[in-house]
Each structure stands twice: as C-alpha cells, then as structure tokens.
Amino acid sequence: MRRSVIRGSGHYLPERIVENSWFEERLDTSDEWIRSRTGIERRHFAAEGQTTSDLGIRAARAALDDAGLVADDIDGIVVATSTPDLTFPSVGTMVQAGLGIKRGFAYDVQAVCAGFVFALANADAMIRAGMAERILVIGAETFSRIMDWTDRSTCVLFGDGAGAVVLEAQDAAGTSNDRGILAADLNSDGTHRDLLYVDGGVSSTGTAGQLRMQGNLVFRHAVEKLSKTAATSLGKAGLTDKDVDWLVPHQANLRIITSTAQKMGLPMEKVVLTVADHGNTSAASIPLALSVANQQGRFKQGDLLVTEAIGGGLSWGSVILRW
Ligand code: UT7
C-alpha cells in the first residue's frame, strides 16, 4: 500500500518578538497571569504589510530545503489558515506562485486551530488515492490581524507564524510499523459556534472582524476531547498510548497540553512544547512545533508521533504518524 511519509519540515517566525511585558504596559494584565494560566512567555507578530502567504512561502522553502527537493517536485499545496491575505484567491495559490510552481493544485483548508490536522489528513487521503506523489502541507497564520487589543482575555494568547511539511508517497507493508501517516480522526460540532469565532465576515458584516472566545468553556472541551481523539486514532492504527514516542500537540495552553499528556500516561519529556516562545499560532502551531523539534534532531526514524488539536467550530482531531 501507499503511505504518506514526512520527507522534510520547515518553519518561519516573523522577526518581531513581543514579550508578555509589552501587554503589561497596555492592559490590566501581568506576565505572571499569562505565564501561569497559559505557559506563554512571548510571541512573534508579523510586520506591517507582511501577510500569511509571505510567512507560508518562507516555511515552504525551508521544508523543501530540509527535504532536499525543489519546488517543481511538488504536485500540490494545501494550506491550513483562517487568516488569508484576501478573501480569495486562496493562500495556497499565492504560495504556489511565490514558489514559482505552475502545475498541480493549491487550495486552503479552514478548520481554525485544528486546521493543520485536517489538512494533513486531507493530503494523506489524496496521496493514498494516487492523486499526488508529493504535497506541501502548510499551516500559516497572522492572528495578530484579528485581535481586539482591548480584550485582555484573548489578545495575550495568540501569535503569528508558519510551518510546513513535505508529504511524500512511499510503498509500505500496510502494518503499524510502517513509516508515514497511520491513522487520523477528525470531528466537528457546529453547535458550539459561539465559544470561539470571529465577529465579521464577507457575507455578514463585510469586515474581517475580531476574535471572540469564551476561553474557559473551550478549555473544558479541549481537556475532554483531545485525549479522546488521540485514543481513537491510536486505536485505528492498532496502537496504544504505550507505543507513543512523541506528542506534538496544538500549542494553545500549557495546562491543556499537560492534562492531555497525563491522561495519555506520557511524561512531559515526550511532549514537544513551543507555546512559551510562540503563543497560540492556530493552524501553524503543530507544523511549527514539528519543524522546531526536527531541527533540534529530537525525532529518530521510526518514532511514533501523535498530533492533536481543537479550535473554532468546534473542530478537533488527531493524526498518528511514524517519523
Ligand atoms: O486554540 C484554540 C483553542 N483555544 C484554547 O484552547 C484556549 C482555551 N482556553 C484557555 O486557554 C484558558 O481558558 C484561558 C487562558 C483563555 C483563560 O484561562 P482561565 O483559567 O480559563 O481563566 P478565565 O477565563 O476563567 O478567567 C479567570 C480570571 C477572570 O477574572 P475573574 O472573573 O475571576 O475576576 C478573567 O477576567 O482571569 C481574568 N483574566 C485575566 N487576568 C489578567 C482573563 N484574561 C486575563 C489577563 N490578565 N490577560
């Protein structure tokens, strides 16, 4: 059978780093509150005029370099984002043009913070169906553009950035020892729309809008749903928590990550953490974490990775893959 193996990864973070102290000067908040409630210490914000596709293009180039490939080797691009440069065309096509590719397909997937997990599962299905040999899967966001800077309960949480992986078709035996994506579990429940949304849009207000979140309610869903989806997809792969070498979670809140790891019986040494330095970068957070950990040489070939995320919708899911 065919499996989708990660051949390379890369990321890009905007130059401007904003420490928690920046918010102390502007809002009724403190470094202590932000660190203790979220684990966030700093985040990157895109420069004026720097767009989501700019970040995505840089992450894609880094992933191609890491894979030892050139842009023409790519058959398709899937970008997970909720903060596109324009309403259309897709960020995917902008990344495609930026890389100088004129063949294959490019489009966006929108599942907010769960976007990269959805995009990865989507690209994997296309590769296994024989529709492409190599797909660039990118998570790229500029959440700083949809912040209400007067709302301390949200604006301290998010950051900008992009991460990318090159997924490549490889022949495999069809067992849980194969390299590549072994299973995925995707879920949505649109009745929770009001827990996390942006209060603007093309067909409603005609504006881009600003992010609104009932954080403590989202927190409860996250704690309950993330370990469950990980168990479901591990089960689909014929594996259990005990087989897991690395948890690469969505980086929204250290307390959510710790609770998920505890439920899975994983020590924190097996968890990739970037939340302190990146904040919550929505769909970019998992590929950023994957790329940072890969750059640090933390993954060995054959290691079993679990990625999981939850976000607006609500939408949540997980992907099991062997490095
Ligand atoms: O990535 C997409 C999915 N999103 C998430 O996973 C986010 C999930 N939620 C969270 O991470 C947490 O709920 C937050 C970090 C957003 C909030 O933490 P919390 O422990 O759930 O706090 P809370 O919302 O229950 O608020 C506790 C208190 C409130 O004050 P009172 O009502 O107890 O007096 C807030 O007004 O903390 C206050 N507060 C702040 N205080 C200082 C809220 N934001 C701040 C702030 N600085 N920035």
Side-chain angles (χ1 to χ4, degrees):
M1 70 173 291
R2 279 158 75 94
R3 295 273 195 202
S4 315
V5 174
I6 292 188
R7 173 153 170 174
S9 65
H11 68 273
Y12 174 74
L13 289 157
E15 271 172 37
R16 183 175 168 219
I17 298 172
V18 172
E19 302 285 340
N20 289 346
S21 55
W22 188 83
F23 292 94
E24 286 181 321
E25 291 157 18
R26 289 162 177 81
L27 291 164
D28 179 17
T29 189
S30 64
D31 174 49
E32 202 283 318
W33 190 95
I34 302 170
R35 273 175 202 253
S36 63
R37 294 291 179 129
T38 71
I40 298 167
E41 296 176 21
R42 58 194 66 81
R43 71 288 288 144
H44 294 246
F45 285 150
E48 211 180 308
Q50 196 174 31
T51 63
T52 296
S53 67
D54 294 332
L55 311 189
I57 290 165
R58 285 173 181 253
R61 286 201 182 114
L64 286 170
D65 282 350
D66 185 50
L69 294 170
V70 295
D72 267 349
D73 296 323
I74 297 301
D75 303 316
I77 299 173
V78 183
V79 177
T81 189
S82 300
T83 46
D85 301 25
L86 302 173
T87 301
F88 73 76
S90 64
V91 174
T93 55
M94 295 181 189
V95 171
Q96 184 194 32
L99 296 175
I101 306 174
K102 287 194 174 188
R103 63 176 199 89
F105 57 83
Y107 61 92
D108 294 355
V109 163
Q110 210 269 57
V112 204
C113 296
F116 187 76
V117 168
F118 278 55
L120 207 54
N122 189 240
D124 171 49
M126 282 192 288
I127 285 178
R128 282 189 291 111
M131 292 171 70
E133 295 300 310
R134 293 194 192 101
I135 301 180
L136 257 172
V137 187
I138 302 169
E141 301 276 21
T142 47
F143 262 49
S144 63
R145 306 290 194 247
I146 51 167
M147 288 299 109
D148 173 352
W149 298 106
T150 64
D151 178 7
R152 68 177 184 173
S153 73
T154 54
C155 72
V156 302
L157 304 175
F158 293 90
D160 301 337
V165 300
V166 179
L167 273 192
E168 180 177 72
Q170 284 188 13
D171 289 330
T175 74
S176 59
N177 289 324
D178 292 346
R179 289 189 69 203
I181 295 180
L182 301 175
D185 174 58
L186 305 182
N187 309 271
S188 302
D189 180 352
T191 62
H192 296 301
R193 184 186 99 153
D194 292 344
L195 297 190
L196 176 49
Y197 66 101
V198 169
D199 64 3
V202 181
S203 71
S204 52
T205 60
T207 63
Q210 290 176 325
L211 183 143
R212 307 289 169 206
M213 178 165 70
Q214 297 182 54
N216 46 8
L217 296 182
V218 177
F219 189 101
R220 276 184 232 166
H221 282 283
V223 165
E224 176 216 323
K225 291 181 165 58
L226 289 174
S227 54
K228 210 176 266 180
T229 178
T232 301
S233 50
L234 277 167
K236 284 188 191 178
L239 298 164
T240 71
D241 293 342
K242 294 192 175 49
D243 299 306
V244 177
D245 294 300
W246 295 100
L247 176 64
V248 189
H250 172 46
Q251 310 279 324
N253 187 314
L254 183 58
R255 289 185 294 142
I256 295 174
I257 297 172
T258 308
S259 147
T260 307
Q262 262 170 10
K263 285 190 178 181
M264 293 175 69
L266 287 179
M268 289 308 280
E269 302 85 69
K270 291 188 170 191
V271 182
V272 176
L273 292 173
T274 50
V275 64
D277 294 329
H278 301 170
N280 181 348
T281 57
S282 183
S285 93
I286 289 174
L288 270 165
L290 269 175
S291 172
V292 166
N294 185 29
Q295 238 177 27
Q296 292 168 345
R298 295 173 79 185
F299 304 143
K300 294 191 309 293
Q301 192 167 315
D303 277 358
L304 189 77
L305 275 62
V306 175
T307 63
E308 41 79 344
I310 185 166
L314 295 175
S315 286
W316 67 100
S318 54
V319 169
I320 310 299
L321 66 98
R322 202 174 286 289
W323 195 255

